[in-house]
Amino acid sequence: MTAKPKPAKMPANPLWGGRFATGPAEIMARINVSIDVDRRLYAQDIAASRAHAAMLARQGILKPADAEAILGGLDRVLAEIESGNFVFKAELEDIHMNVEARLAELIGEPAGRLHTARSRNDQVATDFRLWIRDAIDALDPALKDLQLALLDRAEEHAATIMPGLTHLQPAQPVTFGHHLLAYVEMVGRDRGRFADCRTRLNECPLGAAALAGTSFPIDRDATATALGFDGPAANSLDAVSARDFAIEFLAASAIAGTHLSRLAEELILWVSDRWRFVTLSDAFTTGSSIMPQKRNPDAAELVRGKSGRLIGALHQLLIVIKGLPLAYAKDMQEDKPPVFDAADSLGLCVAATAGMIRDLRVNAAVMLEAAAGGFATATDLADWLVRVLGLPFRQAHHVTGQLVHIAEKRGVDLVGLSLEDMRAIEPRIDETVFSVLTAERSAASRTSFGGTAPQRVHEAVQAARRRFL
């Protein structure tokens, strides 16, 4: 009598466990799971699976009925996730396995055909590129809105005088509008870096499979086009192992974060009681649990602090990638946490900064008073000596330095010196010199392209609106 064949033993893992006799150790399962992080890729994962299934059907690799079932099932999975009714399972490790397992529950055997001619390696690389591309597309309007906030305030304060500083010491009078326009330029370059990153990442890894491509007659151009990529990645090894697109995103984020941090630091100084250049409302400040009088610029301080997270995220991924041989390694599972955190942090910081710029109230009289101090018009005096008396600039610099020394000893500013005081150092000085020694005249005289003169600020605002908005 012939013995009945024993039923096949269920694998240790329903999606990859055929090679394994037992399941992983508990600690192995814990370190291996990534669903709590990569569940954020669900929309991109399902979009890529839809494009892959449609291509397999067009190529005759999938039967039309199977493809139709898969596409309908994927729509149901997406609806479940977006409605909050999907149950993510840690034992299924990641978003790819969770989606595929649920698809199998919904449509049965055809779900197992979806993974034909692909690997989780090219799947995750594709999903991750799609996610970062979407993050850049969401971030650019926010950065553009920050520029708009800066431009509106710059135009409003094109003639508001404030001290321009070097080494945090009074240097020359500038306009507040001109100062804000500096950040418009920084944010513009940030947007350019993200745009460049988007261009370089826009190659489709799907079809590279595990690392060597596939023997199935797939159409990689079709899946690339369906997913909005410029084309398929040219090398299968590079396609699954490259993460420089994520590193570039983090580098652009870190640079943008440092720009926001510099502006935040200035806001913190400007709102302090020592400066009082601007005031922030209750909307962007907090109080103290013990000191009733306090109004703390916490929003600005948190923007300044979160720049450290952005810089740290870049370092984190560089360190993960630096020692990895080709092609894929599980270390790459650590690529997503810093990217997700950086995207969240930067988006929050950009929105908070735009809010503070729109919220702040400028104390123009305090700014003007500060701009008039610290001998900030000394360069204007030196320029007058060159322009009117024909002195070489080095000699004019020396004469001006002597006059500053006299004024400092007497406790007055340059405009407080008498004509006789000035002629004691340079006899040819006449009374017209006093016309260049006010902060307003100083700022108005800086009419070179890119300068701080109010007329130039108005022109620069309009030019920036055309360039960036």
Side-chain angles (χ1 to χ4, degrees):
M1 184 173 180
T2 305
K4 292 183 179 179
K6 295 181 180 180
K9 186 178 179 181
M10 288 298 294
N13 182 292
L15 294 182
W16 54 257
R19 167 66 176 80
F20 294 79
T22 62
E26 187 272 337
I27 193 65
M28 174 60 192
R30 284 170 55 195
I31 197 172
N32 193 48
V33 69
S34 63
I35 187 59
D36 288 343
V37 174
D38 61 29
R39 64 198 296 173
R40 293 181 65 162
L41 298 173
Y42 75 88
Q44 292 78 19
D45 190 71
I46 291 172
S49 289
R50 287 183 57 83
H52 185 65
M55 179 275 296
L56 292 178
R58 283 194 300 271
Q59 295 298 106
I61 301 170
L62 269 186
K63 294 178 180 178
D66 287 344
E68 184 177 353
I70 289 169
L71 293 172
L74 288 171
D75 287 344
R76 290 177 63 186
V77 174
L78 180 62
E80 288 180 3
I81 295 175
E82 292 185 336
S83 66
N85 294 321
F86 189 93
V87 179
F88 292 97
K89 299 177 181 178
E91 62 269 22
L92 294 174
E93 297 183 9
D94 58 27
I95 186 61
H96 322 297
M97 287 179 145
N98 269 267
V99 169
E100 186 173 331
R102 179 56 180 153
L103 183 65
E105 292 174 353
L106 291 171
I107 69 171
E109 192 253 3
R113 303 185 187 280
L114 174 59
H115 210 53
T116 305
R118 76 174 184 185
S119 161
R120 277 194 295 174
N121 294 356
D122 62 338
Q123 193 177 357
V124 68
T126 302
D127 295 354
F128 202 22
R129 285 177 186 257
L130 288 171
W131 192 94
I132 292 178
R133 193 178 72 185
D134 290 344
I136 291 171
D137 290 347
L139 184 60
D140 186 70
L143 290 168
K144 183 178 178 180
D145 182 64
L146 174 56
Q147 286 183 299
L148 176 61
L150 290 163
L151 284 166
D152 287 346
R153 301 314 300 268
E155 190 165 35
E156 178 185 353
H157 292 284
T160 300
I161 307 299
M162 68 178 294
L165 309 177
T166 60
H167 308 279
L168 212 59
Q169 302 297 317
Q172 292 177 284
V174 297
T175 58
F176 188 52
H178 186 62
H179 195 106
L180 294 178
L181 285 175
Y183 287 102
V184 172
E185 296 298 321
M186 293 182 210
V187 176
R189 292 192 296 273
D190 291 329
R191 291 177 65 191
R193 272 181 282 271
F194 283 115
D196 290 344
C197 174
R198 192 192 192 286
T199 297
R200 269 184 289 276
L201 71 78
N202 209 35
E203 297 178 344
C204 185
L206 203 57
L211 76 163
T214 178
S215 59
F216 289 93
I218 62 173
D219 184 349
R220 292 191 62 205
D221 287 298
T223 47
T225 299
L227 293 169
F229 287 107
D230 295 331
N235 181 280
S236 61
L237 285 166
D238 179 58
V240 299
S241 65
R243 292 297 184 273
D244 54 351
F245 63 92
I247 293 170
E248 187 172 2
F249 174 79
L250 291 177
S253 298
I255 294 170
T258 62
H259 290 156
L260 297 179
S261 183
R262 295 183 75 179
L263 179 51
E265 169 66 11
E266 296 206 290
L267 288 170
I268 292 162
L269 291 173
W270 292 343
V271 301
S272 69
D273 191 59
R274 300 287 184 181
W275 292 54
R276 297 183 294 112
F277 283 3
V278 303
T279 303
L280 288 171
S281 77
D282 296 354
F284 290 93
T285 56
T286 65
S288 166
S289 63
I290 189 172
M291 295 169 285
Q293 83 281 9
K294 294 297 292 297
R295 181 190 290 275
N296 301 320
D298 282 9
E301 290 173 354
L302 288 166
V303 169
R304 183 178 61 181
K306 285 182 183 295
S307 65
R309 294 179 71 151
L310 298 170
I311 296 166
L314 171 59
H315 288 181
Q316 182 179 343
L317 188 52
L318 283 169
I319 292 167
V320 168
I321 297 299
K322 73 173 184 64
L324 297 185
L326 298 181
Y328 182 84
K330 201 58 179 276
D331 309 50
M332 291 183 181
Q333 187 165 289
E334 296 301 313
D335 58 1
K336 286 168 282 297
V339 169
F340 292 163
D341 185 73
D344 291 346
S345 296
L346 183 58
L348 189 58
C349 289
V350 171
T353 304
M356 286 186 287
I357 293 300
R358 290 190 169 100
D359 179 75
L360 64 83
R361 179 170 58 83
V362 176
N363 302 322
V366 176
M367 281 188 175
L368 178 59
E369 182 181 358
F375 310 106
T377 57
T379 303
D380 298 275
L381 173 56
D383 288 345
W384 185 91
L385 294 170
V386 171
R387 186 172 55 252
V388 176
L389 302 186
L391 269 63
F393 183 78
R394 287 300 169 204
Q395 184 180 347
H397 186 287
H398 181 72
V399 168
T400 301
Q402 290 179 294
L403 292 172
V404 168
H405 181 68
I406 293 171
E408 189 173 39
K409 287 176 63 177
R410 295 186 182 177
V412 298
D413 210 334
L414 287 172
V415 75
L417 292 176
S418 68
L419 184 58
E420 289 71 25
D421 292 331
M422 293 189 179
R423 283 176 170 171
I425 303 299
E426 172 49 63
R428 291 178 293 166
I429 293 177
D430 61 39
E431 63 279 356
T432 63
V433 72
F434 292 100
S435 67
V436 302
L437 296 183
T438 65
E440 297 95 329
R441 290 286 187 90
S442 173
S445 71
R446 307 293 168 180
T447 56
S448 58
F449 179 78
T452 193
Q455 69 183 73
R456 283 298 193 183
V457 173
H458 282 295
E459 293 168 1
V461 167
Q462 297 310 312
R465 291 187 190 279
R466 292 190 295 271
R467 288 162 56 206
F468 295 123
L469 303 184

